[in-house]
Amino acid sequence: MPDRYAEILVVDLLGGIGDLVMLLPAVHGLARRNPGARMRVVTHEPGAELVRVDPAVIEVRTPRHGRPGAERAAVAEALAARRPDLAVTTTRYDDIPELLEAAAARAVTNLWRNPPPDQSVGGRYLEILHAEGLLSDTDRLARPRVHVDEGARRAGERVLARLAGASPAPPVVLVTGAGMAVKHWPRGHWRRLAGALARRGHPLLTVGPVDPARPLGTPLPPGDLPTLAGQFAAVARRGGVVVGPDTGPVRLAAAAGAATVALFGPTDARRYGMGDVDLQGLPDCPHRLPTAITEQPCWWQARCPLDPTGPACMADLAPDAVRDAVAAVSGRARR
């Protein structure tokens, strides 16, 4: 009989919404394997909004401030409140693994160990937890899914009805921003894509920076992440597509059930892909390090060794190729 755990603590303090979304299959798999367990999560805002509404999660804690040491303090507080039977973390800094190993009855503290360059990050998490006897064979195949409650779904449907109307063509959402400059797709590429999609009759919606003088589409109304997930679920129901770089909102769209066309440049689509269409710019770039992306010369300052004007890998992704990818996946109604 596999071990069962009553108190589980999951720590993801990598900082990005997408990082947390990639870990959700592990959270849900642990919950299924341990029915009735108290599942607690320590993570950052705003990603915490997604797990607060998740029925698998009992409690969510976040760092109390932005100064050094806040993440370690949040983990220490969670451990002091309740000693976990099992602790799992993606976080490797500030001696957080050692803190968990000292306090938890059992701890899995390195989900990054020995990654193959062609295995997805989320898949690696699941494989390691399966090897530790913590997940079932079925759990290894799970994809990220966010909980979208009925209220968020209804609100999303109302927004889509108002902004996209009764157009026979599926809506397309353009996620024009990215958390890091190195992941930005050139503005001119966005304009050419928007023009091509508009000519095909697609209602165009946007998430991210807006140029009032040259809008690419109608912005989705602002709201928290569960609200945005509800809007993406409505896009999915209409067979729509969400297009954007390797960033949190696009991962959220995929986890809410929408088809995605994801644009990969500095990150490797084999490691970070989202599953529908993952387009890789400059696949043979000699500077890309699939398992050590933060060590790439372009990563922190977006200074591309191949092009002083901007990331050559992102510019390599042609608008026509993205347009064709949208056509390939649009019109398929999702959950």
Side-chain angles (χ1 to χ4, degrees):
M1 175 70 69
D3 291 335
R4 293 289 185 266
Y5 299 93
E7 292 282 344
I8 302 175
L9 181 66
V10 176
V11 177
D12 180 81
L13 291 164
L14 299 178
I17 298 166
D19 296 308
L20 177 61
V21 170
M22 286 190 288
L23 186 61
L24 287 179
V27 172
H28 295 148
L30 290 170
R32 284 191 297 270
R33 191 72 179 272
N34 299 276
R38 284 180 53 88
M39 176 72 68
R40 297 184 296 148
V41 174
V42 182
T43 191
H44 282 111
E45 300 286 4
E49 297 169 350
L50 296 173
V51 283
R52 286 195 185 100
V53 299
D54 194 316
V57 177
I58 297 295
E59 179 184 270
V60 181
R61 289 174 178 260
T62 60
R64 294 179 181 273
H65 54 78
R67 299 185 297 278
E71 287 83 1
R72 180 182 171 86
V75 174
E77 289 174 4
L79 293 171
R82 300 183 81 95
R83 180 175 180 265
D85 303 321
L86 172 66
V88 173
T89 184
T90 58
T91 307
R92 301 290 298 163
Y93 59 81
D94 278 1
D95 295 328
I96 287 173
E98 290 77 7
L99 196 63
L100 294 170
E101 289 164 359
R106 183 179 180 189
V108 181
T109 58
N110 188 357
L111 295 181
W112 295 93
R113 59 183 183 257
N114 305 318
D118 58 351
Q119 185 178 39
S120 72
V121 171
R124 186 63 181 163
Y125 294 164
L126 297 176
E127 182 171 300
I128 288 173
L129 292 171
H130 177 268
E132 295 276 352
L134 297 171
L135 295 179
S136 70
D137 290 342
T138 303
D139 292 327
R140 296 175 69 186
L141 306 176
R143 292 180 62 178
R145 286 291 180 259
V146 293
H147 176 72
V148 183
D149 66 30
E150 192 57 34
R153 287 184 185 277
R154 288 196 300 268
E157 291 289 346
R158 289 194 296 271
V159 166
L160 262 290
R162 176 166 55 87
L163 299 184
S167 170
V172 178
V173 182
L174 308 178
V175 180
T176 57
M180 301 186 70
V182 72
K183 296 181 181 181
H184 286 171
W185 203 36
R187 190 70 182 175
H189 285 30
W190 279 119
R191 285 195 291 271
R192 287 193 289 276
L193 174 65
L197 295 174
R199 286 190 292 275
R200 293 187 174 189
H202 293 283
L204 297 183
L205 309 173
T206 61
V207 173
V210 175
D211 179 356
R214 303 187 69 180
L216 300 176
T218 304
L220 286 172
D224 60 14
L225 292 179
T227 297
L228 183 58
Q231 294 166 359
F232 285 147
V235 170
R237 194 187 65 78
R238 289 179 171 229
V241 185
V242 178
V243 182
D246 175 16
T247 192
V250 183
R251 291 193 181 279
L252 177 59
T260 58
V261 174
L263 312 178
F264 289 86
T267 50
D268 192 313
R270 297 173 301 171
R271 291 275 288 153
Y272 293 90
M274 301 178 204
D276 284 301
V277 179
D278 300 319
L279 300 177
Q280 181 76 66
L282 286 185
D284 297 322
C285 175
H287 302 283
R288 186 180 293 112
L289 303 174
T291 62
I293 55 176
T294 62
E295 297 175 21
Q296 294 173 179
C298 61
W299 186 253
W300 297 109
Q301 303 298 326
R303 292 174 182 163
C304 177
L306 305 178
D307 188 346
T309 65
C313 53
M314 295 301 293
D316 185 57
L317 292 163
D320 286 353
V322 180
R323 176 205 62 200
D324 292 345
V326 170
V329 297
S330 67
R332 304 175 188 174
R334 305 291 182 97
R335 69 178 179 87

